[in-house]
Structure formats: structure tokens, C-alpha cells
Amino acid sequence: MRLDGIRGGLLIALRDLDRFWKYKFWLGAQVAMNLADILIFAVIFNNIVNRQYIPDYVKFLATGVLALSTFASAFSIGREVGIEIRREFTHYLLSIPVSREALVFGRILSGTLRGLIYQASFIVLAALIVGTPTALGAVLVLSTSAMLSASMSSLAIAISTSTRDFNLQATFRSLTYYVLFFFSNVFYPEEILKQRFPGAVVFLIKLSPVSLAADVYRWAFGYNTSINVFHEYALLLAWTLVTLVLASALYLRNLTRM
């Protein structure tokens, strides 16, 4: 008997989350290491960067890195999907009584939840360093994290299923990851980006989903209230909807070709 879409998708997501918790000690170590890196990086550069552009680099980085943590953790599920393809475990997943649409939904949902779980400690850190967000700010933080995490997990899964070749999988995934990672405003403000890159590149960086999410976080935590947050939020919502639809369609197409 085949399970209906939502129920089947939830079962797939719960399976992925159960596997996620089996690596809780590794996860805890990763979070602790990343938090330490951020604190050390922020404290060192706080007295080096030009305060005309960034009055407090610790707060600037603490809010910006929220986008980075969500994106990075959500993107990691693509690596697991790639391993499943190479080990042909995907054939087992396709044989269980769950529709392929539910399978796609479940994998994206699990990637989204992983991103939110991983980001929780970074939100606590930002609240301690910058301040607690307002009720509206908290809603924006949670919804922004969900959008970014959902779109990035679906994008990573779609890339990983595009080929069975390990080298191509790793190359495509790493290329996409590093483009989104480095071409963002997480580490540098717009004024610095304008000094280093042509106008067209700065424009694209500002439209990056990671940059849009970082701007929303900075407004929500009260670090930079001059940002037009609803404009940035609307752009991120549009970017997320398009990415989610396209990436889900690619993932579903890749599954049907297996």
C-alpha cells in the first residue's frame, strides 16, 4: 500500500533526522569548532577593519554568519544523496511504497530541518552578542532560515543527482557552494565590495540569497535598521520559490531517469 504524499514525506524526513542524530557528537564538535572560529576571527578583525564601514565587526559577523550556517548545513545533505547514488541505495528508496514526489518532499524537508537545528546555536550566539530580536524580528529570522534552508537543500540534492560520477558530483557541488559562500556580504559590507569588484558583480552579490538573508538577519537583530528589510525579504522569497520549484523539478527528473 502506498503512503499518501505528506505522510510519506514526513516518514522520509524522520528517517533522515534519525540518521542525523546518530552523529550528534560529531555535530556538537562541528558547532563548537565553528563557533570558536567565528569568535576568534571576529575578535582579531574587529580592531583591523575600517570602523567607518563597520563600527562593530563582531556584531556584523555574528548576524551575517547566521545565513552562512543555515546555507552550509542545508547544503550538506547533497553529499549524503550523492553517496546513496554511488552505493545504489537510491534504488531501495525508489522501491518503498512512497511516491517520488513524497520522496523529494521528504528529503528537502529533512535538509530544511537540519539547517534549522544546526543554526540554533548560532542564533543564541547572535542574541547574546547583538541583542534579542523583537517579535517581528523573531518571525523574520525563523522564516528566513526556513526559506534559505529549503532552497539550498533542494539545490544541493538536485546537483548531486545530476550525475553518478563522484568527481563531477563533488565538482558541481563545491563550485556552487563556494560561489554562494564567497560572493556574499557575510564578511564584507557593500562599501568594501564596491572598492574590490565591478558594479555588475556587486549587484549580483547583493541579489545572492545568502546576502539577502544576511541583510534580513542584521535588521531583525537590530544591528542595521537602515536596511529595507521587506524589500530584501520579498527578493529572498521570490528567489526561494524559483529555486525550490526548479531544483525540485530537477531532482524529480533525475530520480525518474534512474
Side-chain angles (χ1 to χ4, degrees), residues 8 78 84 109 180 197 231:
E84 290 175 356
L109 178 61
L180 291 171
F197 296 105
H231 176 263

Side-chain angles (χ1 to χ4, degrees), residues 216-227:
V216 175
Y217 290 137
R218 284 170 180 145
W219 184 92
F221 278 90
Y223 173 75
N224 187 355
T225 54
S226 65
I227 293 172

